Amino acid sequence: WITLLRPGQPLPSLKQLQAHDIDPKRIVFEITELGGDSQRLAEVVARYRQAGARIAIDDFGAGYSQLDRVLALRPDILKLDMRLFQAAALGGPSSEVVRALAQMAEKTGCWIIAEGVETEAQLNFALECGARYVQGYLFAQAQLNWFAADAFVSRFAVLRQAYVQQKLAERGRIMLLRQQLIELMQILQGWVLAQEPLNQLPWLPGFPRLLRFYQCDRHGTQLTPNFEWRQDAWQADGRYLGHNWSWRPYFYHLLAEGWEERRVILSTTYRDATTNQYCLTAGQFFDNGQRLLLIDIDAAGL
């Protein structure tokens, strides 16, 4: 409808607020349609902001890209599309997309609203994405009258505590994994320094998450094949010999945090481009800091 406005014409929505004596600071205008004149829309948004109202983009992530609209309008709030959010809460690639959208929103100063929160798992995923607000049947269905301001405080306190306990359990698993990796590093470094053949490396059933290990020099160039346990034996995969990994985020974390103390450093989880698995890389300098032992771990469930 903004294309029908004359230049400088008073905005009907702001006139309604004035007629009902409503402070615009209490109002969020949601932009839902993808069509229309972007320049005219930007002008209207500027007038809303001048009046003190805030701007939200609704159904973000639905259909084709709205990134250009986000960059042009710089909304205060992004409301994640309900179908996209609910699919993402189940895991898989869509969850990575939603997390990326949430990170983008945070970096551009937007707040995230997760729509369609109907289960505790969906609430937990919304909290992981940094959602400032949630709405959905987990709390209540829409009603004609306003809810009291504290209507959901006690209910959310219980759910929040369960979420915190879940995150503490996850952290506990990471701490246990770190201890296991320290032990594994000692075994593998002992085998490397002894210069024994691959068939002398024992099977390591106590470390079921181990995917592969390999060595790099301190500049990130891979010195050895990838060693993997396959078909009841250690196998060497030499495809990555000579590749340089210094551009990967975990490598400069190792340089920054692990060089002086020679301690085991864990990366954040990521999806491996070759196997499509969720992975975590652990690294530790050894041999007087001249070499780096890297271990890739299956991070699913962590």
Side-chain angles (χ1 to χ4, degrees):
W1 58 264
I2 65 169
T3 59
L4 304 177
L5 291 173
R6 299 183 304 276
Q9 178 182 347
L11 298 180
S13 43
L14 291 181
K15 290 176 66 176
Q16 285 183 321
L17 298 184
Q18 293 170 357
H20 294 282
D21 193 27
I22 296 174
D23 184 353
K25 293 179 181 178
R26 299 183 61 196
I27 298 298
V28 176
F29 286 104
E30 293 188 10
I31 300 169
T32 58
E33 299 296 331
L34 291 173
D37 186 316
S38 295
Q39 182 59 38
R40 296 292 298 276
L41 179 59
E43 294 170 358
V44 169
V45 165
R47 293 170 67 183
Y48 284 152
R49 280 215 167 93
Q50 188 176 14
R54 288 184 292 175
I55 304 299
I57 290 181
D58 196 19
D59 296 335
F60 184 68
Y64 50 89
S65 172
Q66 301 175 41
L67 295 179
D68 57 343
R69 181 159 289 190
V70 172
L71 295 174
L73 303 182
R74 302 292 298 273
D76 303 285
I77 296 168
L78 290 176
K79 300 186 72 176
L80 293 174
D81 177 67
M82 181 171 68
R83 287 172 297 181
L84 175 64
F85 170 78
Q86 290 181 339
L90 297 175
S94 59
S95 67
E96 299 301 320
V97 172
V98 170
R99 285 190 174 95
L101 292 175
Q103 289 178 357
M104 182 203 69
E106 183 180 12
K107 291 180 179 179
T108 56
C110 298
W111 291 351
I112 285 286
I113 295 180
E115 299 181 287
V117 176
E118 300 178 355
T119 66
E120 289 189 34
Q122 290 171 350
L123 173 64
N124 292 347
F125 181 69
L127 295 176
E128 285 184 5
C129 290
R132 181 67 63 97
Y133 299 110
V134 298
Q135 64 184 65
Y137 287 179
L138 179 62
F139 295 98
Q141 297 187 23
Q143 295 184 18
L144 180 62
N145 296 319
W146 298 106
F147 290 103
D150 61 352
F152 306 112
V153 170
S154 58
R155 168 72 169 145
F156 184 73
V158 173
L159 294 169
R160 183 184 61 233
Q161 183 61 25
Y163 171 76
V164 170
Q165 292 302 316
Q166 174 185 309
K167 301 308 289 185
L168 287 173
E170 290 177 7
R171 190 61 188 170
R173 289 194 290 273
I174 292 290
M175 294 172 66
L176 177 60
L177 175 63
R178 179 184 291 275
Q179 293 300 317
Q180 293 173 336
L181 286 169
I182 291 172
E183 180 182 347
L184 180 57
M185 282 286 185
Q186 293 175 345
I187 295 173
L188 295 178
Q189 288 177 17
W191 172 79
V192 168
L193 293 172
Q195 299 182 338
E196 295 177 338
L198 188 58
N199 59 15
Q200 293 299 310
L201 180 63
W203 180 44
L204 302 168
F207 305 95
R209 291 184 175 273
L210 173 61
L211 296 176
R212 68 189 66 86
F213 70 93
Y214 52 98
Q215 293 179 57
C216 289
D217 65 20
R218 59 175 299 184
H219 304 291
T221 299
Q222 187 160 335
L223 302 173
T224 68
N226 289 344
F227 298 113
E228 304 177 6
W229 181 264
R230 289 184 279 112
Q231 299 175 344
D232 297 326
W234 286 103
Q235 307 286 340
D237 180 355
R239 289 178 295 169
Y240 300 101
L241 271 169
H243 283 223
N244 187 280
W245 306 110
S246 60
W247 57 277
R248 297 300 297 271
Y250 61 75
F251 193 86
Y252 53 79
H253 290 169
L254 281 164
L255 287 177
E257 302 177 37
W259 170 249
E260 293 294 338
E261 300 179 16
R262 307 289 195 267
R263 59 192 177 93
V264 175
I265 302 296
L266 303 185
S267 74
T268 56
T269 56
Y270 60 92
R271 190 180 290 275
D272 182 74
T274 303
T275 64
N276 206 33
Q277 290 176 287
Y278 279 110
C279 294
L280 181 151
T281 296
Q284 185 177 34
F285 285 100
F286 72 109
D287 192 17
N288 295 319
Q290 297 306 305
R291 287 186 283 174
L292 177 65
L293 184 63
L294 294 160
I295 301 174
D296 289 343
I297 296 296
D298 180 3
L302 288 176

